[in-house]
């Protein structure tokens, strides 16, 4: 199997570009149906979600807006447990149909910190879309309304996800060889 090395670690192919693209199409179709005539505001969480956000957004046929915030809790291949807001929300949320867009939900810590802040600003509705979920490492359970893939508790990279800054440009998702 074609393994790749990123920094000091080996990764093996896990989810193909084709499988990801099909899933993105399915999720977009569901959102197009559910949000017909509603003009939702997507809030994508940087950095990891930028490729998923772009691909999903291009598949939307409804009127929709998108903005970005930057929250981070990861160092290397382990969650640091501390969530830092590096770029905050600059768009009004009150009365809007909000869809949070995440690359991966792991411990749930990031959203556990962010969701109460958002509720406080009184959106009309709030849903979550995530490409990946690791239910095995959940500390704060998060209800995901639109999910791509449920995956085992293994570190992954590619398609926007990084290992210490590298690997985001890889077109498919790889997992750590242990
Ligand atoms: P949580 O707060 O633990 O749910 O982590 C959420 C964030 O950690 C994600 O949005 C990712 O940016 C990052 N993350 C979690 N698991 C992985 C992984 O396997 N590879 C790369 N980044 C990850
Ligand atoms: Mg992220």
């Amino acid at each position: 199997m074609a393994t790749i090395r990123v920094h000091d670690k080996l990764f093996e192919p896990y989810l193909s570009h084709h499988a990801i693209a099909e899933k993105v199409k399915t999720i977009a179709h569901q959102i197009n149906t559910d949000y017909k005539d509603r003009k939702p505001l997507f809030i994508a969480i940087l950095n990891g979600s930028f490729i998923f956000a772009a691909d999903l957004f291009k598949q939307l046929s409804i009127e929709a807006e998108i903005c970005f915030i930057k929250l981070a809790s990861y160092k290397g291949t382990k969650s640091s447990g501390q969530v830092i807001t590096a770029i905050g929300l600059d768009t009004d949320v009150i009365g809007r149909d909000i869809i949070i867009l995440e690359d991966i939900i792991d411990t749930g810590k990031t959203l556990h910190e962010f969701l109460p802040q958002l509720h406080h600003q009184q959106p009309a509705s709030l849903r979550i879309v995530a490409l990946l979920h690791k239910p095995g490492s959940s500390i704060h359970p998060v209800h995901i309304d639109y999910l791509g893939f449920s995956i085992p508790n293994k570190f992954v990279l590619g398609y926007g996800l990084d290992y210490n800054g590298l690997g985001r440009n890889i077109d498919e998702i790889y997992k750590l060889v242990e």
Side-chain angles (χ1 to χ4, degrees):
M1 207 170 1
T3 57
I4 55 165
R5 177 176 292 277
V6 177
H7 292 299
D8 55 332
K9 297 200 191 303
L10 280 181
F11 292 83
E12 61 191 7
Y14 183 47
L15 297 169
S16 71
H17 182 70
H18 179 75
I20 298 167
E22 286 301 306
K23 196 64 91 170
V24 170
K25 234 185 251 175
T26 305
I27 294 174
H29 180 74
Q30 283 173 338
I31 293 174
N32 283 332
T33 306
D34 295 352
Y35 286 83
K36 198 170 177 291
D37 305 320
R38 279 170 68 194
K39 213 186 283 186
L41 169 65
F42 286 79
I43 301 178
I45 303 182
L46 295 172
N47 291 328
S49 71
F50 77 111
I51 291 180
F52 176 47
D55 282 352
L56 183 70
F57 206 70
K58 285 188 290 184
Q59 298 280 335
L60 297 178
S61 54
I62 52 168
E63 286 195 315
E65 293 177 40
I66 188 164
C67 66
F68 296 85
I69 62 166
K70 185 170 179 181
L71 305 172
S73 69
Y74 250 72
K75 263 206 170 127
T77 63
K78 295 264 155 32
S79 177
S80 72
Q82 239 210 333
V83 180
I84 309 154
T85 305
I87 301 175
L89 192 60
D90 65 352
T91 311
D92 273 345
V93 157
I94 184 162
R96 300 294 308 268
D97 291 310
I98 302 296
I99 304 177
I100 303 213
L101 201 154
E102 260 285 34
D103 49 352
I104 181 166
I105 296 176
D106 178 20
T107 63
K109 176 104 183 155
T110 305
L111 287 182
H112 181 76
E113 300 259 325
F114 181 59
L115 290 179
Q117 298 174 32
L118 207 55
H119 272 299
H120 199 69
Q121 299 181 50
Q122 299 176 300
S125 68
L126 182 57
R127 287 194 180 173
I128 295 171
V129 51
L131 181 66
L132 306 170
H133 181 217
K134 292 184 198 165
S137 59
S138 170
I139 295 173
H140 304 281
V142 173
H143 176 79
I144 304 169
D145 299 281
Y146 305 97
L147 175 64
F149 303 91
S150 195
I151 64 169
N153 188 13
K154 292 255 169 69
F155 190 81
V156 290
L157 108 175
Y159 198 71
L161 293 142
D162 72 307
Y163 165 45
N164 273 345
L166 295 183
R168 297 193 195 274
N169 52 322
I170 297 166
D171 212 22
E172 49 196 359
I173 293 177
Y174 280 70
K175 73 172 195 288
L176 185 65
V177 177
E178 284 167 311

